[in-house]
Each structure stands twice: as structure tokens, then as C-alpha cells.
Amino acid sequence: MDETLLALNTAFAKSITEVTVEKVTNKITQIKSNHDLKKQVTDYEQLINDLLDNKNKLELTARNYKERLEQVTISDSDIESLHNTVSTVIRLVMPLSQSESKTDEKSIDVLLNLLNSDTLKTLQLLGYNYKKAIGEPLTQITSDFLKNKLNTKKQGL
């Protein structure tokens, strides 16, 4: 488990244990036992502020969990776009390849058939992280390629 997720889990556990019915009930009983009305008002305000602060912490933690989930979740529209884009790119690049065998065409059809919602969602449910497995290496390859080309041009000047 990565450190960010561990920190989220810790923050969540701390938030849910800070405020329990028993703790709030005990605090209210304690406030009621004080006969100074001004002190009671102050203590109630403090209790309410503490509860609101805890609520805000829980909402922040929930948003962070949601952001983490969105980082690894692919929507149906993303899958459709991915399928269309990959299909178009493969069809454009295919004539440029040296080999134009029927086997290559069948392989491409198999690959495109794998890029459907059911397959991708199932892999995702099994824990496959597309952005990490595919996106990060592609980003690195692109970055290395551009750096290499830019360095070659600088050296050629």
C-alpha cells in the first residue's frame, strides 16, 4: 500500500474514532453538570465546532479517496474513446508496416476486440491500473524520445 493511501486510512480511522456517540454523550453530560450558563454555552459551542471540524476532515478524506479512485477508474465514454482512437491509429499505421499479412490483421482485430467495456472493467476490478501500467511508461518513452531528438538537434548545430 502506498504512503498516500496509508495516510488517508490513518486520517479516516482517527476521524471516526475521535467522535463517537459515547464521547459526545459524555461531553454533553459533563457540560450539563456545570451550572454556569455562560460556561455551558461556551462548552456547547466548542463541542459543535469540534463536531463540524471532524465532519470537514471526513469530507476531505472522502474527496481524497474519490480522487484516488478516479485516478484508476476508466469511464464508459473513456473506453469508447480509447477504442475509437486506437482503432484509427492502428488503421493509419498499418500500411506503413513492412508486413501486411493476414495474421497481422487478425492480431489487430483481436486487440481491438479486447478493448471493450466488459474486458477493461473486469481487468480494472481485478486491480489493473491502466494509467500506471500503460500511461506512465508511454509518458516516459515520449519524454525520452523528445529529449533524445532535442539533444541530437542541439549537437548538430
Side-chain angles (χ1 to χ4, degrees):
M1 185 179 307
D2 69 27
E3 290 189 30
T4 307
L5 195 54
L6 188 59
L8 276 175
N9 291 343
T10 303
F12 178 71
K14 184 178 179 200
S15 292
I16 63 171
T17 56
E18 278 180 354
V19 177
T20 63
V21 173
E22 183 181 351
K23 287 182 180 182
V24 173
T25 304
N26 289 343
K27 184 68 176 172
I28 290 172
T29 304
Q30 179 187 353
I31 293 170
K32 284 181 182 179
S33 69
N34 188 343
H35 296 295
D36 180 4
L37 276 160
K38 286 184 180 182
K39 178 73 171 135
Q40 278 186 347
V41 169
T42 305
D43 288 347
Y44 276 125
E45 286 175 351
Q46 182 61 46
L47 177 61
I48 290 169
N49 289 334
D50 290 346
L51 290 171
L52 289 172
D53 184 50
N54 187 267
K55 175 186 174 269
N56 291 335
K57 287 178 189 175
L58 284 169
E59 286 175 347
L60 177 63
T61 303
R63 279 193 303 275
N64 288 332
Y65 274 125
K66 183 179 179 193
E67 286 174 13
R68 291 289 305 231
L69 179 63
E70 288 171 349
Q71 289 176 355
V72 295
T73 302
I74 296 180
S75 69
D76 288 337
S77 63
D78 288 342
I79 291 171
E80 184 178 330
S81 176
L82 174 68
H83 186 276
N84 292 337
T85 303
V86 170
S87 176
T88 302
V89 169
I90 288 174
R91 302 282 181 221
L92 288 172
V93 173
M94 234 176 97
L96 302 175
S97 76
Q98 301 295 335
S99 159
E100 292 186 20
S101 71
K102 293 286 182 191
T103 309
D104 289 344
E105 241 178 83
K106 286 181 182 177
S107 297
I108 290 168
D109 287 339
V110 168
L111 173 66
L112 291 175
N113 287 332
L114 285 174
L115 290 177
N116 67 52
S117 182
D118 291 337
T119 304
L120 295 177
K121 294 261 183 189
T122 300
L123 288 172
Q124 201 169 46
L125 287 172
L126 294 173
Y128 192 80
N129 183 335
Y130 296 99
K131 292 178 183 177
K132 192 170 201 138
I134 298 169
E136 289 180 12
L138 282 176
T139 301
Q140 189 60 48
I141 288 168
T142 306
S143 174
D144 292 346
F145 174 78
L146 290 173
K147 287 176 187 173
N148 187 21
K149 287 296 181 187
L150 291 173
N151 284 338
T152 303
K153 287 185 179 182
K154 283 183 184 176
Q155 291 172 358
L157 290 176

